[in-house]
Amino acid sequence: MPETEVKATISKSTGLPRKRFYRARAHSNPLSDSHFPVPISPSQFDYSLHYPQIFPSSDQVDGSRKVQFADIGCGFGGLLISLSTLFPETLMIGMELRDKVTEYVKERILSLRVTNPGQYQNVSVVRTNSMKYIPNYFEKTQLTKMFFLFPDPHFKEKNHRRRVISPFLLDEYAYVLKPGGVIYTITDVEELGDWMKSCLENHPMFEALTEKELEADPVVKLLSSATEEGQKVARNGGQTFQAVCRRIVPSDQTS
Amino acid sequence: MEEAEVEVESNRDNVEVAPALIAVHPDQTSVAVAVGPDLRVFDLLSGSAASLVDECGAPFHKDSIRAIRYGPRGKLFVSAGDDKTVKIWSTESWRCVCTVSSEKRVSAVAISEDGCHVCFADKFGVVWVVDVPGSDGHVALGDRKPTPLLSHYCSIIPSLEFSPDGRFIVSADRDFKIRVTNFPKKPLNGAHEIQSFCLAHTEFVSCLAFVCSPECPQGLLVSGSGDSTVRLWDISSGVLLDTCVVAAKAGLLESNGEAEEHSHAVTDLCTTLNGSLIAVAIQSLQGIVLLSCDVSAQTLSVSKVVSILGEAFVPTSLGFCPHEGKLWMVTGVSSLPSCNYPSLARVRVISGIDVEQEPVVVGDDKIPGREKLLETLQGSASVDESAFLAAAEAVKTAMCNLLIKKQYPSDNRESRKKTRNDRKLKN
């Protein structure tokens, strides 16, 4: 594409990044060994880089405040932006595999921080493969919420193993979630919805929230309304399928 | 970890060579060597080669064997590899009592402390478990279907170990991670409760071993990696206790401190005695490094470097016999493209592995089993030494190809995407 003029990737009027300059395919290959920096262990995660106002320098990271919400496959950041003001005292992070999309979310957060002083300081994004590196970012029982909104369905049966919710990966998600912590999943693909629900319900470390609990949780409504994907599904009059479970301590185990 | 762009080697060997492996029976009643698809066992009690019996007939494995091991009680022996089968043998009759089919090639095996479960890891990172009831090995179990136990997403697992108290199963992968999982009472339902992750290595983790002592019966974990270090861990918490930069300490680095990238990976580890000494094999080192582990201080230090003089011997696999205080080593490879021999193997022994004694490389004439053992395990009593340097290089390249992520230069990234469907639709 010939560049005859400088394209303004950030809109002058809103200060927000213009999505068309951050277009990427909806699908990214989770099997490819892309190269991006990954912390060797959770203690190497740079809080002062992601939350500079809260941790002005690396010395002030004392470990008392840690990331508690993780949006896995955060896409263009819709959910994170909504959660940031709903839970202003909680640190949260989005994880996204596609680099252009991650750049978009970074720009979005940076501009929101400028236009709304004091807000959006608790949210950040990182480009990473969450299927391989979750234990590198989060310590045991660190998170209180994990989100999997409209994950890639990987329709072909031979590709089911690439799904971000699987019996194996749930072991890792259970490891980083505190007992009582909640995992939220939603999709517009019915088969995937059934799959995620059954994986969660069959896993010994997760149990489904009751109807009452779902109604009482303010986050549940955001699942279908806060993101681009969710809004697109609503526009097209599609149905969504959610599965929300709590991390539990199985009765026959000690910790 | 940093992003780095390195030129892709244009002459990657298409032939996958497999290193020779050795395992020693806990009571030293037999020694086994695997080279390529060949499984060779020498019975030290009878002083002759053991005849392996399997319903499917020889060759027992149709492709390179990648893992062999004796069960902790010495009743079972397991071999598995690129032919996607896991064979469980009785060490008394040397009959194959059970063959397990795997969907993918197998990279590691482990046997539970009570001998009732055999676990194996496939190249996609899934660890499978199969139960072997009545594990005295007399009853033929036929073929069994494995069930999945746990998984390291898309990562090859070169090493699998049970903790000495049987509570945990430890799996190490090529993405620098070590996962410690609670081994449940009903493993066939999967092992879902992760105890900890041991994270600090900066390259693939190739080998694991446990150091135990009376004051620490649950054991401390020792791991060796492509980053040339051996690390000591507390597996309950995942905490790193100590790091030993073995290649540097063994004087392997060049005088200007530069090392050829990835040339000093730790390839195998073996705990000896009550665990106070650990034998370490490193790529390019003609010999072994003996590390001493202080269990109460929780530290590692280099005790001795034992060189093998007189021949180019870079061990590819180690095995220790506690009763006799002997370290068995093998070097070799499944096949060398340029060589006349289809496979090579050379066995050596070091005796005197003790804090008080001096380790001595045992001559061929003094080795247990003597010439007959060498003939059986090596394929011949004497070996052409010139081939061994080439063999060591081939093994090093194969290990890098398998365990180190390929780095693709960014300049031709667009041309590599040419065949992608969404690129084809443009213009």
Side-chain angles (χ1 to χ4, degrees), chain B residues 219-250:
Chain B
L220 293 178
L221 178 72
V222 185
S223 61
S225 158
D227 64 10
S228 306
T229 65
V230 173
R231 296 182 196 252
L232 189 67
W233 311 88
D234 168 7
I235 53 170
S236 278
S237 57
V239 166
L240 173 69
L241 300 171
D242 202 7
T243 303
C244 182
V245 190
V246 283
K249 296 268 167 71

Short mmCIF file of all heavy atoms in Angstrom, two decimals, chain B residues 219-250:
data_model
loop_
_atom_site.label_atom_id
_atom_site.label_comp_id
_atom_site.label_asym_id
_atom_site.label_seq_id
_atom_site.Cartn_x
_atom_site.Cartn_y
_atom_site.Cartn_z
N GLY B 219 13.01 -35.22 49.53
CA GLY B 219 13.93 -34.99 48.44
C GLY B 219 13.98 -33.56 47.93
O GLY B 219 13.03 -32.80 48.06
N LEU B 220 15.11 -33.21 47.35
CA LEU B 220 15.26 -31.92 46.67
C LEU B 220 15.39 -32.24 45.19
O LEU B 220 16.03 -33.21 44.81
CB LEU B 220 16.52 -31.19 47.15
CG LEU B 220 16.55 -30.72 48.61
CD1 LEU B 220 17.89 -30.06 48.92
CD2 LEU B 220 15.42 -29.76 48.91
N LEU B 221 14.82 -31.39 44.34
CA LEU B 221 14.88 -31.64 42.90
C LEU B 221 16.11 -30.98 42.30
O LEU B 221 16.44 -29.84 42.65
CB LEU B 221 13.63 -31.07 42.23
CG LEU B 221 13.56 -31.22 40.70
CD1 LEU B 221 13.31 -32.66 40.33
CD2 LEU B 221 12.48 -30.32 40.13
N VAL B 222 16.76 -31.70 41.39
CA VAL B 222 17.90 -31.13 40.66
C VAL B 222 17.52 -31.16 39.19
O VAL B 222 16.97 -32.15 38.71
CB VAL B 222 19.17 -31.99 40.87
CG1 VAL B 222 20.36 -31.34 40.21
CG2 VAL B 222 19.45 -32.20 42.34
N SER B 223 17.80 -30.07 38.48
CA SER B 223 17.45 -30.04 37.06
C SER B 223 18.63 -29.55 36.24
O SER B 223 19.40 -28.71 36.69
CB SER B 223 16.27 -29.08 36.84
OG SER B 223 16.62 -27.78 37.26
N GLY B 224 18.76 -30.09 35.02
CA GLY B 224 19.83 -29.66 34.13
C GLY B 224 19.19 -29.06 32.88
O GLY B 224 18.11 -29.48 32.47
N SER B 225 19.85 -28.08 32.28
CA SER B 225 19.21 -27.36 31.19
C SER B 225 20.15 -26.99 30.07
O SER B 225 21.37 -27.02 30.22
CB SER B 225 18.58 -26.10 31.79
OG SER B 225 18.36 -25.10 30.82
N GLY B 226 19.56 -26.57 28.95
CA GLY B 226 20.32 -26.05 27.82
C GLY B 226 21.01 -24.74 28.16
O GLY B 226 21.88 -24.29 27.41
N ASP B 227 20.66 -24.13 29.29
CA ASP B 227 21.32 -22.88 29.69
C ASP B 227 22.61 -23.14 30.45
O ASP B 227 23.19 -22.25 31.06
CB ASP B 227 20.37 -21.99 30.52
CG ASP B 227 19.96 -22.60 31.86
OD1 ASP B 227 20.55 -23.64 32.27
OD2 ASP B 227 19.08 -22.05 32.51
N SER B 228 23.09 -24.38 30.40
CA SER B 228 24.36 -24.80 31.02
C SER B 228 24.37 -24.72 32.53
O SER B 228 25.44 -24.65 33.13
CB SER B 228 25.54 -23.94 30.53
OG SER B 228 25.62 -23.95 29.15
N THR B 229 23.19 -24.69 33.15
CA THR B 229 23.19 -24.68 34.61
C THR B 229 22.51 -25.92 35.16
O THR B 229 21.71 -26.57 34.50
CB THR B 229 22.41 -23.48 35.20
OG1 THR B 229 21.03 -23.62 34.84
CG2 THR B 229 22.93 -22.15 34.70
N VAL B 230 22.85 -26.22 36.40
CA VAL B 230 22.14 -27.25 37.17
C VAL B 230 21.54 -26.49 38.34
O VAL B 230 22.23 -25.70 38.99
CB VAL B 230 23.12 -28.34 37.66
CG1 VAL B 230 22.40 -29.31 38.61
CG2 VAL B 230 23.68 -29.11 36.48
N ARG B 231 20.24 -26.68 38.58
CA ARG B 231 19.59 -25.93 39.65
C ARG B 231 18.98 -26.86 40.68
O ARG B 231 18.57 -27.97 40.36
CB ARG B 231 18.51 -25.01 39.08
CG ARG B 231 19.11 -23.95 38.16
CD ARG B 231 18.09 -22.99 37.61
NE ARG B 231 18.64 -22.26 36.48
CZ ARG B 231 18.98 -20.96 36.51
NH1 ARG B 231 18.83 -20.27 37.62
NH2 ARG B 231 19.46 -20.39 35.43
N LEU B 232 18.89 -26.35 41.90
CA LEU B 232 18.35 -27.11 43.03
C LEU B 232 17.05 -26.45 43.47
O LEU B 232 16.99 -25.23 43.62
CB LEU B 232 19.39 -27.06 44.17
CG LEU B 232 19.14 -27.93 45.40
CD1 LEU B 232 19.26 -29.41 45.04
CD2 LEU B 232 20.15 -27.59 46.50
N TRP B 233 16.01 -27.25 43.69
CA TRP B 233 14.68 -26.70 43.98
C TRP B 233 14.00 -27.38 45.16
O TRP B 233 14.20 -28.56 45.41
CB TRP B 233 13.74 -26.94 42.79
CG TRP B 233 14.24 -26.57 41.47
CD1 TRP B 233 14.97 -27.34 40.61
CD2 TRP B 233 14.01 -25.35 40.77
NE1 TRP B 233 15.22 -26.68 39.44
CE2 TRP B 233 14.63 -25.44 39.52
CE3 TRP B 233 13.31 -24.17 41.10
CZ2 TRP B 233 14.60 -24.42 38.58
CZ3 TRP B 233 13.27 -23.16 40.17
CH2 TRP B 233 13.91 -23.28 38.92
N ASP B 234 13.12 -26.60 45.79
CA ASP B 234 12.20 -27.16 46.78
C ASP B 234 10.88 -27.30 46.03
O ASP B 234 10.26 -26.30 45.67
CB ASP B 234 12.06 -26.17 47.95
CG ASP B 234 10.90 -26.53 48.87
OD1 ASP B 234 10.29 -27.60 48.68
OD2 ASP B 234 10.60 -25.76 49.79
N ILE B 235 10.47 -28.51 45.75
CA ILE B 235 9.30 -28.66 44.87
C ILE B 235 7.97 -28.29 45.51
O ILE B 235 7.02 -27.98 44.82
CB ILE B 235 9.18 -30.08 44.26
CG1 ILE B 235 9.22 -31.16 45.34
CG2 ILE B 235 10.26 -30.29 43.22
CD1 ILE B 235 8.85 -32.53 44.79
N SER B 236 7.88 -28.32 46.82
CA SER B 236 6.61 -27.94 47.46
C SER B 236 6.24 -26.52 47.15
O SER B 236 5.07 -26.20 46.98
CB SER B 236 6.72 -28.00 48.98
OG SER B 236 6.57 -29.25 49.42
N SER B 237 7.25 -25.67 47.12
CA SER B 237 6.98 -24.24 46.95
C SER B 237 7.43 -23.74 45.59
O SER B 237 7.08 -22.64 45.19
CB SER B 237 7.74 -23.46 48.02
OG SER B 237 9.12 -23.78 47.90
N GLY B 238 8.22 -24.52 44.87
CA GLY B 238 8.74 -24.06 43.59
C GLY B 238 9.92 -23.10 43.74
O GLY B 238 10.37 -22.51 42.78
N VAL B 239 10.42 -22.98 44.94
CA VAL B 239 11.50 -22.02 45.17
C VAL B 239 12.85 -22.55 44.69
O VAL B 239 13.19 -23.71 44.93
CB VAL B 239 11.57 -21.68 46.69
CG1 VAL B 239 12.86 -20.96 47.04
CG2 VAL B 239 10.37 -20.83 47.09
N LEU B 240 13.60 -21.68 44.03
CA LEU B 240 14.95 -22.02 43.56
C LEU B 240 15.91 -21.90 44.74
O LEU B 240 15.99 -20.85 45.38
CB LEU B 240 15.37 -21.05 42.46
CG LEU B 240 16.82 -21.15 41.96
CD1 LEU B 240 17.04 -22.45 41.20
CD2 LEU B 240 17.15 -19.96 41.06
N LEU B 241 16.61 -22.99 45.05
CA LEU B 241 17.50 -22.97 46.21
C LEU B 241 18.93 -22.59 45.82
O LEU B 241 19.61 -21.86 46.53
CB LEU B 241 17.48 -24.34 46.90
CG LEU B 241 16.11 -24.78 47.40
CD1 LEU B 241 16.16 -26.23 47.86
CD2 LEU B 241 15.64 -23.88 48.53
N ASP B 242 19.40 -23.12 44.70
CA ASP B 242 20.76 -22.80 44.28
C ASP B 242 20.93 -23.06 42.79
O ASP B 242 20.18 -23.85 42.21
CB ASP B 242 21.78 -23.62 45.09
CG ASP B 242 23.17 -22.96 45.08
OD1 ASP B 242 23.32 -21.82 44.58
OD2 ASP B 242 24.12 -23.59 45.59
N THR B 243 21.92 -22.40 42.21
CA THR B 243 22.23 -22.57 40.79
C THR B 243 23.72 -22.82 40.64
O THR B 243 24.52 -22.16 41.29
CB THR B 243 21.89 -21.27 40.01
OG1 THR B 243 20.53 -20.96 40.22
CG2 THR B 243 22.14 -21.44 38.53
N CYS B 244 24.06 -23.78 39.78
CA CYS B 244 25.48 -24.03 39.54
C CYS B 244 25.72 -23.90 38.04
O CYS B 244 25.13 -24.63 37.26
CB CYS B 244 25.84 -25.44 40.02
SG CYS B 244 27.57 -25.81 39.81
N VAL B 245 26.55 -22.95 37.66
CA VAL B 245 26.82 -22.75 36.24
C VAL B 245 27.90 -23.75 35.84
O VAL B 245 29.09 -23.43 35.81
CB VAL B 245 27.27 -21.31 35.96
CG1 VAL B 245 27.30 -21.05 34.47
CG2 VAL B 245 26.34 -20.32 36.64
N VAL B 246 27.49 -24.96 35.54
CA VAL B 246 28.46 -26.05 35.40
C VAL B 246 29.48 -25.87 34.28
O VAL B 246 30.63 -26.23 34.44
CB VAL B 246 27.79 -27.43 35.21
CG1 VAL B 246 27.27 -27.94 36.52
CG2 VAL B 246 26.69 -27.36 34.18
N ALA B 247 29.05 -25.34 33.14
CA ALA B 247 30.00 -25.26 32.03
C ALA B 247 31.15 -24.34 32.41
O ALA B 247 32.32 -24.63 32.16
CB ALA B 247 29.30 -24.76 30.77
N ALA B 248 30.80 -23.21 33.03
CA ALA B 248 31.85 -22.27 33.43
C ALA B 248 32.73 -22.89 34.50
O ALA B 248 33.95 -22.86 34.44
CB ALA B 248 31.22 -20.98 33.95
N LYS B 249 32.09 -23.51 35.48
CA LYS B 249 32.86 -24.08 36.59
C LYS B 249 33.75 -25.22 36.12
O LYS B 249 34.80 -25.46 36.68
CB LYS B 249 31.91 -24.59 37.68
CG LYS B 249 31.07 -23.50 38.34
CD LYS B 249 31.75 -22.95 39.58
CE LYS B 249 31.12 -21.67 40.08
NZ LYS B 249 29.80 -21.92 40.67
N ALA B 250 33.31 -25.93 35.09
CA ALA B 250 34.11 -27.05 34.61
C ALA B 250 35.19 -26.58 33.66
O ALA B 250 35.87 -27.38 33.04
CB ALA B 250 33.22 -28.08 33.94
#
